[in-house]
Amino acid sequence: MSEVDIIGNQARSKEGRGLSVRGGDSDKWITIQKNTFQNWINLQLHGSGLTVENLQEDLCDGVKLCTLVSALQQKPSIGRVIKKPNNPHQFLENVTLALNAIAADNIRLVNIGSEDIVNGSLKLILGLIWHLILRYQIGKTKFPPKKLMLAWLKAVVPDCQITNFTSDWNDGVNLHAVIDYCQPGLCPDWRQLSRQNRLDNCRNAMMIAQDKFDIPLVVRPEDLASPHLDDLSGMTYLSYFMNVDSPGYLATLRNVNAINTQGGRIDDFSSSWNDGTHLCNLVKSLGQNPGSISPNHVDNIQTGIDCGRRLGVEPILSAKEMADPEVEHLGIMAYAAYFTHLKPVKSLADKAIIDGNFSNVYVGQEKTFRLNIDDDVSAGDFRAEVIGPDSIPPVRLNWSGRTATGSFTPSEMGQHRLNVYCVNEPLASCPIPFKVSSDRSKVTFHPVDRCPVGVITELKVDTSSAGQGDIRMEVETPNGHTMNLPVVYRQSMYTANFTPAEVGDHRIFVHYDNEQIVGSPFVAKAFDPSKVNVYGLEGGSVGRALSFTADSQSAGEGEVSVVVAHNGVTIPSQVITRQNGKHNIDFTPQGAGVYRVQMYYNNVEIRGSPYTLEIVDSSMVSVSGDGLSLVPVNKTASFNVHTRGAGGGNVSVDITSPNGDTVPCDLSSDSGGVLVAEYFPTVVGDHTLRVLCNGTEIADSPYIVKTYDTSAITVTDLPDGYVSQPIIFSIDVSQAGEGQLQIMVNNGNLPNDVEMVQSGVYRISFVPVEPGVQTVDISFNDEALPMSPLTCNAVDLRASIMEIPTLQPVETQSTFLIRSLASDASVAVELMAPSGQQVPARISGNGTNGYTVEYTPREIGTYIVTASLSGIQIKGSPFRVKTYDPSLVKVSKIPQGVVGTPTKFIVDASAAGEGTLEIAVSANGRNIPNQARALGGGRFEVSFVGREATRHKAVLTYNGEHIPGSPFWVDFMDASQITATGEGLSLVPCHRQTHFTVNAPGAALPDLNIRLTGPDGREVPTRIRDVKGDQHYRVEWTPTSIGDYKAVIEYADMPIKGSPFTVKAFDAANVKISKINQGFLGRPNSFTLDASEAGDGNLEIQVTADGESVPNYVRQESDTNFRVSFTPQRASKHHISVCFNGEPVPGSPFSCGVVDSDRIHVSGEGIKMVPANVLTTLKVDPKGEGDGDLSVRVFTPSGHEVPVRVSGNARSAFRADYTPHEIGLYKVHVEYSGVEIKGSPFTCNVYDPSLIRVTSPGRGYLGRPIHFQIDTSAAGTGDLEAEVKCRGSNVASHIREIGRDRYELSFTPRDLSNHIVTILFNRFPLPGSPYHVDIIDSNSVTMSGEGLHTAHVYKETWFNLDLHGMDENDLEVHITSPSGSEIPCRLSKKGHVCRAEYTPLEVGQHMIDVYFAGTRLQGSPFVSQALRPQSRAHHGRRQDSQEGKGDCIHS
């Protein structure tokens, strides 16, 4: 191994830590990421006239970077940009402007400075661009965007099981799946794509996305398919599917709205979800019950999340995060997408509808309602209850299909409520409140729904609850006649007999003491079952539905019922009522025999019932025979019909020919009772054959019978042929009908091929294997054709033999022989030269002795020889003969040989034609191994190694013939002692002469050749001198640039051992070192080294302080850039020595001062929490760390710098004053001697209590909670405190958060004294604090006046309410009439008394409900009896113990 190979290309510190400085290509993922980010930037710059061609260089001057930031922030300008900067200072100014604009938009850049961009640090530039993509392309979010993007992908294409943005996308299948999700049908077969076609899949999908969705190719298909694809490139491209209004965004909206059946349309995935309404509606659509929406947004969302968990959907964001108005759409969109895999269902509360009128409900009277339920619940899932003031009357549910009739009878008056439960969950419309009133008439009539004509019907009237009175009943017939019915009274029950004489509705009038009772007149529907007409009841078949009709149009209203019996067993039947009194009765007979049908009308048997009918079983009828499948025309076909066990019934057969004609069929019985059917088809094609029993087709009927005609088949002539040659003929069966064509050659011993030429026409071929007669048998449907069998003769020409040489020299006559067993065959030979010209050939001989063919080739190449016998080519024809010319083989000059070194020369046989090259090398009678390497195009490189210094012999032949000049002679010499050594062949410094020595004993200087080329490929001048006169040559040269030099040293045109040599040139002066800042004790100090222009080599760094070594650490930041860091342990000057390949870099050693920053103390309110618009101060004490400059910079939350006044000095401490105005978190940067001190930047929370909005009630009510609303959203961050006092004592209070930066303070007063409420923010009183709250006792309200108890209809009445100074706005009065409607009430106030006036419009009890401050007053509701104008009431007055006070009610 040479010295160059041993040299390590590392930067190494004295402690042995090292990093490579070796040049080379960047990793492939970096190239992909650079291309992706560059494409993304150019999309943003579109329309600006600027493009980025080289990401590492084009942003350095800041012009394009400023344009990019301006475009992303949608601002016309971000500041003053130097359009044509011409020096690094202006570059930095532009880049700093762009970075400041980025920081002002709340984008935090870590370890990325303006110098990094100007210096073209690729990795840091890539980091900067990624921050921009995150903020402006993917979207700002508090969560890792990768997690949210993956969550959405897993939700929308769960079958793909996507876990990353790299390898999961290489084969393009998952991208097809995402596209198909965005627009179903674009890529429906994505699951069948081959994952091996990675690039094609990626390219196809990305082109579809570009064409259909306008998604740009920021990533190339080749990069997406690359295993080196990086996460950031994949996320950048796929983000175009997830942005707001992107294809994926709109598809997710579409799918979410498809399942959202409970709420309005959802239009976004951002702030409209903040209050939880969308989420609650969504889970409600999927069968959950989130309850009602509350004012607390976080609670609403948490309820929706809990419901989602029960559905199997886990949240991505917390409830508080989803309620954030700044929430990013990605998290909500991904979460919502998981719900789209679920099917919308109704909640239990929505699975039924209550239908009923609850406006008129009376005590003792049954009230009914209807309940309609969905198909996926059953009657057992429902129960109903009615709750009255002091009773719970039972509720009955009578079911009919999916509908129930609910009924209940209230036993008391007052407010009631109806609840209907589905699986113990109340329906959405419940509870249903209603009021029950008393019924003036307790008389009830037992109604009669239907009654038969001519039959006595008893009518009953119950007066047990109303007492005995005068009952009178009369009936009005359908034709208008009226008749009185005699009434008999027995035990509080009145009865009357009623016999209708005509069909129709009879109106029954029931009078109680000359007034009709409730519900009168009643309707009794009279019917006459004798007028029901039944028709269509005839015989039928087993298993086939039988239907007949009952016409009750003249019989009156009623219901038809049927009982069908067979052999004592009831057969299920169904009655379907149609219009105009028609009823269809359906049943399906289960067996053959006599059936009994009994019919009733309103449970009265109709005239003619029961009916009988006979049923047959057609399924027991079966058929068999050849006449059911494939039959020939013009011949009688037959089959059998078996009817045993089918019952009675007639059998018939219908046959229809292909042209629609009826084919006659004769039926006859044989001796066994089997019917024999015979028919005579005359037309080719499909015949439809139907077998019917009693007019009903039997099972498997109809049958398709196929007929055929062999006489319609035509066959072409069968020609004679040759053995091993196909013999072909054709058959046309197109007119013969459907069937099986069978061909057999030589009794089936010879295979044949059938090819369909067109419909019904076939080409038949077979190849004879033996000479002689060939026999072909043809049949159709196993019936031989009239012309079958066919015969032909085959002649054998296969015995031909051809003897021909395949390799032939030019200009030499060539001969070959043709032999054949066919003595009478004619011979034909054609020869084609390589140029395409015909070559003359002479043929002689005969079939017995063979044929001789002679010709002379004159061209080099391949000749084509075609030979045939009797027009048939001989097996193997055409033949190929290759020609050659050894005189055209060329040999290059063979150089002088060097012992032990391969001697090479070139043999060119490209013009000599095809052949075999043979080489034999020998020396002193011994063979020398040689190798021939094909170079292509007929050229070969021949090499051999001589082992002794003597003459060698080389013999070359081509196809066994010597080539011109063979044999060749080569002289060898021993050059094994020639070597090259010296520092000039290893690692050399630039611009300094160097040298190496060539030791060549016994060699001549003219045969020594030295060529030295530089990194740019140009030759470097060298000077060769004979140093000692004994063949030791000194070679001198001077490198002028860094890089790899190539030294080629040859002797007699042969490279010596080790040649070519690689020499690496370096230049320590080109190592660049950044500024080394003053250090701080115990804190890392770092600087950078740039060896990109210094060449390869070793970097050595040593740091010392007071003569002792200080540990340092080297971190590689790029291929040739390093960061060196060390941590000072003593406050003294440090020295840094930097060498490259042992040579000090310019300026080395460097010096660095160190101070103890921990001794620098910062204090004061200016780094804690201060109110806005107040001068604040911070103190900086260097603690004797020496003189230095103090810099204090304060930045507002929006990024603007606040003016700071610094005073004082290092000995007496510094003071910094500033006045904050903006609310939020300030950053305070403190630098001492140009270095940020420990803890910097400090933070200061600025707040403004004057911006807090407080809603104070001003007054409250004893024993009821009082609420203050406090909004701190504009005041900044801080602690909210409150204190409530009454008569010097603290009152328990509670502060709770009701929204973002919104709070509620509540307390409950227990004393009527004034309450004082003090509210502090960061211990600072709020404007207006303390607040005073007056307490009122609502129980002090008193009521009086005649309108509380008695009133007259149509006459205004009144009552008074003494409020004792309280606000009448808290007073509510509701007056309800006996019918349940609310009547107007006018309130007026005079002094502390409020007067209520109203006018009743109905006779009866009026309910007066009085509320004060939302609480019902004691004694409410009051009952006021409204009388007719002439009536007087003496009840309801409450006597006071003191006379003259009248009515007074104290609440």
Side-chain angles (χ1 to χ4, degrees):
M1 180 177 293
S2 68
E3 185 180 355
V4 174
D5 298 323
I6 297 175
I7 293 176
N9 295 312
Q10 292 189 330
R12 187 173 304 275
S13 72
K14 288 293 185 181
E15 289 70 42
R17 300 175 179 86
L19 294 170
S20 175
V21 197
R22 189 188 307 274
D25 294 338
S26 299
D27 293 338
K28 294 183 180 179
W29 69 267
I30 294 181
T31 302
I32 294 176
Q33 189 179 109
K34 182 179 70 173
N35 291 336
T36 301
F37 287 6
Q38 186 169 297
N39 292 338
W40 180 82
I41 291 172
N42 286 328
L43 281 173
Q44 316 312 313
L45 295 178
H46 181 69
S48 67
L50 301 177
T51 59
V52 173
E53 303 294 339
N54 187 320
L55 185 61
Q56 191 169 5
E57 298 175 359
D58 288 4
L59 302 183
C60 294
D61 62 3
V63 175
K64 294 179 181 178
L65 182 59
C66 288
T67 306
L68 172 63
V69 175
S70 177
L72 292 173
Q73 296 182 351
Q74 298 180 351
K75 296 179 180 178
S77 174
I78 60 172
R80 180 179 173 275
V81 181
I82 302 173
K83 298 296 184 181
K84 295 182 179 180
N86 53 23
N87 59 63
H89 176 75
Q90 294 179 334
F91 295 173
L92 284 170
E93 191 172 340
N94 280 348
V95 173
T96 302
L97 179 65
L99 296 185
N100 288 341
I102 293 171
D105 208 8
N106 293 324
I107 301 177
R108 185 181 180 188
L109 302 177
V110 180
N111 293 331
I112 300 177
S114 302
E115 297 84 357
D116 301 317
I117 308 303
V118 172
N119 293 334
S121 176
L122 178 60
K123 290 188 177 178
L124 294 181
I125 291 174
L126 291 174
L128 170 65
I129 302 305
W130 174 241
H131 278 82
L132 298 179
I133 291 173
L134 274 180
R135 172 64 176 84
Y136 301 107
Q137 173 67 32
I138 297 176
K140 60 180 180 180
T141 173
K142 300 176 183 177
F143 291 86
K146 181 177 180 180
K147 173 185 175 183
L148 300 183
M149 293 173 72
L150 283 175
W152 181 79
L153 289 168
K154 291 177 181 178
V156 301
V157 284
D159 294 344
C160 295
Q161 299 181 350
I162 297 171
T163 60
N164 59 56
F165 290 96
T166 54
S167 58
D168 285 352
W169 304 91
N170 292 157
D171 57 23
V173 175
N174 292 344
L175 184 56
H176 278 86
V178 171
I179 292 172
D180 195 61
Y181 169 83
C182 295
Q183 184 173 329
L186 271 186
C187 305
D189 301 324
W190 63 269
R191 291 181 177 84
Q192 284 71 49
L193 293 175
S194 172
R195 295 186 181 273
Q196 305 304 316
N197 299 333
R198 299 157 63 97
L199 181 56
D200 289 343
N201 291 344
C202 291
R203 181 181 291 111
N204 181 56
M206 296 176 82
M207 296 309 294
I208 292 175
Q210 184 184 42
D211 180 51
K212 298 296 183 181
F213 305 139
D214 200 27
I215 291 180
L217 298 178
V218 294
V219 177
R220 302 186 310 157
E222 295 82 355
D223 294 339
L224 190 66
S226 170
H228 304 287
L229 175 70
D230 66 294
D231 267 322
L232 308 190
S233 295
M235 291 171 66
T236 301
Y237 177 71
L238 291 167
S239 67
Y240 284 92
F241 290 89
M242 308 178 204
N243 291 339
V244 175
D245 295 333
S246 67
Y249 185 94
L250 298 176
T252 307
L253 271 181
R254 177 191 67 226
N255 295 341
V256 170
N257 281 309
I259 64 171
N260 181 33
T261 61
Q262 293 296 325
R265 177 176 175 80
I266 299 174
D267 294 317
D268 62 55
F269 290 117
S270 52
S271 58
S272 67
W273 289 70
N274 291 155
D275 62 358
T277 302
H278 284 339
L279 179 58
C280 289
N281 287 337
L282 192 59
V283 297
K284 190 174 182 181
S285 301
L286 298 171
Q288 295 295 309
N289 183 16
S292 58
I293 299 297
S294 74
N296 191 317
H297 296 176
V298 175
D299 290 348
N300 294 337
I301 296 175
Q302 188 60 51
T303 300
I305 287 175
D306 295 339
C307 292
R309 279 197 171 102
R310 291 194 288 272
L311 293 168
V313 178
E314 288 297 323
I316 295 173
L317 307 178
S318 68
K320 186 174 181 180
E321 289 156 352
M322 290 180 68
D324 187 352
E326 300 296 324
V327 65
E328 175 60 23
H329 76 280
L330 261 178
I332 294 179
M333 182 173 75
Y335 182 47
Y338 280 97
F339 289 98
T340 60
H341 301 294
L342 307 175
K343 292 184 178 179
V345 295
K346 287 185 178 179
S347 64
L348 294 174
D350 296 318
K351 290 186 179 293
I353 298 175
I354 301 174
D355 182 15
N357 182 7
F358 295 91
S359 59
N360 297 307
V361 185
Y362 299 96
V363 173
Q365 290 192 12
E366 183 180 67
K367 185 63 179 178
T368 63
F369 61 91
R370 293 174 68 85
L371 181 66
N372 300 305
I373 68 175
D374 290 350
D375 294 337
D376 57 347
V377 288
S378 61
D381 295 331
F382 291 86
R383 64 180 178 88
E385 66 176 10
V386 172
I387 301 176
D390 297 306
S391 63
I392 303 178
V395 181
R396 297 167 296 280
L397 293 177
N398 297 319
W399 292 93
S400 175
R402 314 301 300 176
T403 302
T405 300
S407 61
F408 61 90
T409 303
S411 59
E412 60 174 332
M413 67 178 183
Q415 287 295 121
H416 288 60
R417 63 181 184 271
L418 169 65
N419 282 317
V420 179
Y421 299 90
C422 177
V423 195
N424 295 324
E425 183 173 329
L427 298 186
S429 59
C430 289
I432 299 176
F434 59 92
K435 184 177 180 181
V436 177
S437 304
S438 62
D439 188 6
R440 298 190 306 272
S441 175
K442 301 295 184 179
V443 178
T444 58
F445 174 71
H446 295 266
V448 177
D449 186 23
R450 298 187 180 96
C451 51
V453 172
V455 179
I456 296 175
T457 300
E458 186 179 55
L459 306 178
K460 295 181 179 181
V461 179
D462 184 359
T463 61
S464 59
S465 299
Q468 188 173 358
D470 182 18
I471 292 294
R472 179 169 57 87
M473 286 189 282
E474 59 184 13
V475 177
E476 181 182 277
T477 64
N479 57 20
H481 297 298
T482 303
M483 57 182 176
N484 290 318
L485 300 178
V487 179
V488 178
Y489 176 73
R490 296 187 186 90
Q491 298 178 349
S492 299
M493 186 73 71
Y494 291 85
T495 61
N497 291 330
F498 164 54
T499 304
E502 57 181 309
V503 171
D505 291 352
H506 291 66
R507 302 175 68 196
I508 302 174
F509 295 85
V510 180
H511 301 268
Y512 181 72
D513 288 339
N514 294 322
E515 288 190 7
Q516 290 191 54
I517 67 173
V518 176
S520 178
F522 303 92
V523 176
K525 300 180 182 294
F527 65 93
D528 189 350
S530 65
K531 293 186 178 181
V532 178
N533 181 28
V534 179
Y535 56 90
L537 191 60
E538 300 171 353
S541 300
V542 172
R544 297 179 66 89
L546 189 148
S547 179
F548 61 94
T549 303
D551 186 354
S552 63
Q553 186 172 3
S554 302
E557 186 173 323
E559 296 178 353
V560 173
S561 58
V562 179
V563 177
V564 181
H566 172 57
N567 293 334
V569 178
T570 301
I571 305 301
S573 60
Q574 182 182 19
V575 179
I576 302 174
T577 302
R578 307 295 185 188
Q579 294 181 350
N580 301 326
K582 297 291 194 303
H583 308 269
N584 290 345
I585 298 94
D586 299 327
F587 71 94
T588 302
Q590 304 301 316
V594 177
Y595 281 65
R596 175 188 174 97
V597 181
Q598 289 180 289
M599 298 192 61
Y600 303 87
Y601 194 65
N602 291 330
N603 296 322
V604 179
E605 195 165 14
I606 66 176
R607 183 174 59 191
S609 176
Y611 303 92
T612 60
L613 68 159
E614 186 173 0
I615 301 299
V616 298
D617 190 354
S618 61
S619 67
M620 298 298 291
V621 178
S622 62
V623 296
S624 63
D626 295 336
L628 294 172
S629 56
L630 194 64
V631 299
V633 298
N634 300 320
K635 293 183 181 179
T636 300
S638 65
F639 60 92
N640 296 330
V641 183
H642 307 272
T643 61
R644 181 171 299 174
N650 296 322
V651 175
S652 61
V653 178
D654 293 335
I655 303 175
T656 305
S657 69
N659 53 21
D661 296 335
T662 299
V663 178
C665 181
D666 296 329
L667 287 173
S668 60
S669 298
D670 63 6
S671 58
V674 176
L675 294 176
V676 177
E678 295 182 340
Y679 64 98
F680 190 84
T682 60
V683 180
V684 171
D686 291 352
H687 289 62
T688 303
L689 188 151
R690 289 181 169 83
V691 181
L692 302 94
C693 180
N694 240 22
T696 301
E697 284 193 76
I698 68 172
D700 299 329
S701 179
Y703 301 89
I704 302 301
V705 180
K706 300 179 181 297
T707 59
Y708 64 92
D709 187 358
T710 57
S711 65
I713 298 174
T714 60
V715 182
T716 62
D717 292 336
L718 185 64
D720 293 333
Y722 300 96
V723 173
S724 301
Q725 295 293 323
I727 297 177
I728 301 172
F729 65 98
S730 298
I731 301 178
D732 185 351
V733 298
S734 58
Q735 305 300 317
E738 190 170 328
Q740 182 69 38
L741 179 66
Q742 297 167 309
I743 299 125
M744 186 168 58
V745 181
N746 294 344
N747 295 322
N749 293 323
L750 191 62
N752 62 87
D753 292 327
V754 179
E755 177 188 358
M756 186 173 72
V757 179
Q758 61 186 51
S759 180
V761 179
Y762 301 90
R763 177 183 289 112
I764 317 299
S765 65
F766 62 92
V767 179
V769 296
E770 295 181 359
V773 176
Q774 313 294 312
T775 303
V776 181
D777 294 288
I778 305 174
S779 61
F780 190 70
N781 292 329
D782 294 328
E783 182 179 338
L785 301 190
M787 70 289 293
S788 180
L790 307 175
T791 60
C792 67
N793 188 46
V795 177
D796 188 0
L797 291 179
R798 293 183 305 163
S800 302
I801 300 173
M802 187 168 186
E803 300 172 358
I804 183 171
T806 58
L807 198 61
Q808 183 71 31
V810 296
E811 304 300 337
T812 302
Q813 181 173 290
S814 179
T815 303
F816 61 89
L817 185 65
I818 300 175
R819 299 180 184 276
S820 174
L821 297 180
S823 59
D824 57 345
S826 60
V827 177
V829 176
E830 289 184 0
L831 288 99
M832 184 74 69
S835 61
Q837 299 293 324
Q838 290 284 345
V839 178
R842 187 169 67 87
I843 302 173
S844 60
N846 52 51
T848 302
N849 299 321
Y851 301 91
T852 299
V853 182
E854 297 176 342
Y855 71 100
T856 301
R858 303 193 185 280
E859 299 179 25
I860 296 175
T862 300
Y863 283 71
I864 306 300
V865 181
T866 305
S868 62
L869 289 174
S870 298
I872 298 175
Q873 287 196 9
I874 297 174
K875 185 177 181 181
S877 178
F879 303 91
R880 285 169 172 75
V881 179
K882 299 182 183 296
T883 60
Y884 65 93
D885 187 349
S887 66
L888 298 180
V889 178
K890 306 297 182 185
V891 179
S892 67
K893 178 183 178 182
I894 302 177
Q896 180 184 15
V898 178
V899 174
T901 300
T903 298
K904 299 179 181 179
F905 59 93
I906 304 300
V907 179
D908 186 354
S910 58
E914 189 169 324
T916 302
L917 177 66
E918 295 178 341
I919 303 108
V921 181
S922 62
N924 296 329
R926 292 189 301 273
N927 287 332
I928 305 299
N930 66 85
Q931 292 180 336
R933 181 169 65 91
L935 301 177
R939 298 173 69 251
F940 301 88
E941 180 186 68
V942 181
S943 66
F944 64 95
V945 179
R947 298 302 178 184
E948 51 186 316
T950 185
R951 174 168 285 193
H952 289 55
K953 176 182 179 182
V955 178
L956 280 73
T957 62
Y958 195 69
N959 290 328
E961 298 183 30
H962 279 276
I963 66 176
S966 177
F968 301 90
W969 300 93
V970 184
D971 291 326
F972 270 73
M973 65 165 288
D974 187 357
S976 62
Q977 300 303 315
I978 300 177
T979 60
T981 58
E983 63 179 15
L985 290 177
S986 56
L987 195 62
V988 297
C990 281
H991 311 297
R992 186 184 304 169
Q993 187 184 78
T994 185
H995 71 276
F996 59 89
T997 301
V998 178
N999 302 313
L1005 180 60
D1007 289 330
L1008 183 64
N1009 181 28
I1010 298 174
R1011 296 192 309 277
L1012 191 66
T1013 54
D1016 56 1
R1018 297 181 181 179
E1019 191 165 346
V1020 177
T1022 60
R1023 187 173 66 164
I1024 304 175
R1025 291 189 300 151
D1026 189 347
V1027 181
K1028 301 179 181 179
D1030 58 353
Q1031 290 80 42
H1032 284 72
Y1033 302 100
R1034 176 186 176 99
V1035 182
E1036 298 173 347
W1037 65 288
T1038 302
T1040 57
S1041 60
I1042 65 169
D1044 290 353
Y1045 287 75
K1046 186 176 182 181
V1048 178
I1049 305 175
E1050 297 176 334
Y1051 184 78
D1053 295 330
M1054 297 298 294
I1056 70 171
K1057 184 179 181 181
S1059 178
F1061 300 88
T1062 299
V1063 185
K1064 296 182 178 294
F1066 68 92
D1067 190 348
N1070 288 344
V1071 176
K1072 296 181 178 61
I1073 300 180
S1074 66
K1075 178 183 177 182
I1076 302 177
N1077 296 316
Q1078 182 176 14
F1080 285 79
L1081 187 66
R1083 295 181 60 186
N1085 194 13
S1086 65
F1087 59 92
T1088 60
L1089 295 172
D1090 183 356
S1092 59
E1093 299 177 4
D1096 290 353
N1098 294 330
L1099 271 171
E1100 294 181 351
I1101 303 99
Q1102 185 177 32
V1103 182
T1104 59
D1106 296 334
E1108 296 183 8
S1109 179
V1110 178
N1112 65 86
Y1113 303 90
V1114 181
R1115 177 168 63 90
Q1116 185 175 13
E1117 295 189 334
S1118 67
D1119 293 334
T1120 56
N1121 286 268
F1122 307 88
R1123 180 171 293 277
V1124 182
S1125 62
F1126 63 95
T1127 303
Q1129 301 301 323
R1130 60 181 67 185
S1132 61
K1133 183 170 290 187
H1134 285 52
H1135 301 279
I1136 299 102
S1137 173
V1138 181
C1139 293
F1140 190 65
N1141 291 328
E1143 294 194 5
V1145 303
S1148 178
F1150 304 91
S1151 296
C1152 170
V1154 175
V1155 297
D1156 189 355
S1157 64
D1158 288 350
R1159 292 177 55 82
I1160 300 176
H1161 180 66
V1162 182
S1163 60
E1165 295 297 323
I1167 57 171
K1168 297 178 182 177
M1169 180 179 287
V1170 296
N1173 305 310
V1174 176
L1175 180 69
T1176 185
T1177 301
L1178 61 95
K1179 180 181 178 183
V1180 181
D1181 188 356
K1183 297 289 186 180
E1185 282 302 304
D1187 291 335
D1189 295 327
L1190 177 69
S1191 170
V1192 179
R1193 302 183 70 190
V1194 181
F1195 294 91
T1196 68
S1198 61
H1200 296 90
E1201 190 168 358
V1202 177
V1204 180
R1205 179 177 175 272
V1206 178
S1207 59
N1209 53 54
R1211 291 178 295 278
S1212 62
F1214 294 92
R1215 169 180 172 144
D1217 299 318
Y1218 68 95
T1219 301
H1221 299 287
E1222 186 178 337
I1223 307 301
L1225 204 63
Y1226 282 60
K1227 288 188 177 181
V1228 181
H1229 295 262
V1230 181
E1231 294 183 357
Y1232 192 70
S1233 295
V1235 177
E1236 279 198 299
I1237 69 171
K1238 186 175 182 180
S1240 178
F1242 302 91
T1243 58
C1244 179
N1245 183 25
V1246 178
Y1247 62 94
D1248 190 350
S1250 67
L1251 298 179
I1252 296 179
R1253 297 192 299 274
V1254 180
T1255 304
S1256 171
R1259 60 186 173 83
Y1261 296 97
L1262 187 68
R1264 296 191 61 197
I1266 296 175
H1267 302 285
F1268 280 69
Q1269 305 294 322
I1270 306 169
D1271 185 351
T1272 66
S1273 59
T1277 303
D1279 295 325
L1280 193 65
E1281 302 174 78
E1283 181 184 64
V1284 182
K1285 286 194 173 184
C1286 176
R1287 295 197 295 185
S1289 300
N1290 286 333
V1291 177
S1293 62
H1294 173 66
I1295 296 177
R1296 72 182 184 95
E1297 186 177 5
I1298 60 175
R1300 186 176 183 180
D1301 299 323
R1302 294 176 60 246
Y1303 303 88
E1304 181 182 76
L1305 166 65
S1306 60
F1307 65 93
T1308 303
R1310 304 298 181 187
D1311 192 300
L1312 288 172
S1313 301
N1314 183 266
H1315 284 59
I1316 299 174
V1317 181
T1318 302
I1319 303 177
L1320 305 175
F1321 188 69
N1322 292 328
R1323 301 187 179 275
F1324 197 98
L1326 302 189
S1329 178
Y1331 305 91
H1332 295 266
V1333 182
D1334 296 328
I1335 307 302
I1336 302 171
D1337 186 359
S1338 61
N1339 291 329
S1340 62
V1341 177
T1342 57
M1343 302 173 58
S1344 62
E1346 63 179 14
L1348 287 174
H1349 309 292
T1350 309
H1352 291 84
V1353 295
Y1354 307 119
K1355 183 178 180 181
E1356 185 178 76
T1357 187
W1358 59 272
F1359 58 90
N1360 289 334
L1361 299 101
D1362 192 341
L1363 304 182
H1364 300 285
M1366 291 181 283
D1367 192 347
E1368 72 274 13
N1369 291 325
D1370 289 335
L1371 182 67
E1372 294 182 58
V1373 179
H1374 301 281
I1375 304 176
T1376 308
S1377 69
S1379 63
S1381 60
E1382 186 168 346
I1383 63 177
C1385 177
R1386 182 168 59 89
L1387 298 176
S1388 60
K1389 186 179 179 183
K1390 186 175 182 181
H1392 58 79
V1393 175
C1394 187
R1395 180 182 181 93
E1397 298 175 340
Y1398 70 97
T1399 302
L1401 302 177
E1402 302 177 35
V1403 175
Q1405 292 180 346
H1406 287 63
M1407 311 299 294
I1408 302 175
D1409 262 332
V1410 183
Y1411 296 84
F1412 191 81
T1415 301
R1416 176 181 281 174
L1417 297 185
Q1418 186 176 352
S1420 179
F1422 304 96
V1423 180
S1424 176
Q1425 184 71 33
L1427 306 175
R1428 297 184 187 278
Q1430 69 275 14
S1431 301
R1432 299 185 62 187
H1434 302 282
H1435 63 281
R1437 277 182 79 82
R1438 185 178 298 180
Q1439 297 297 323
D1440 196 280
S1441 60
Q1442 302 179 20
E1443 291 185 5
K1445 288 190 176 181
D1447 290 46
C1448 181
I1449 299 173
H1450 190 279
S1451 61

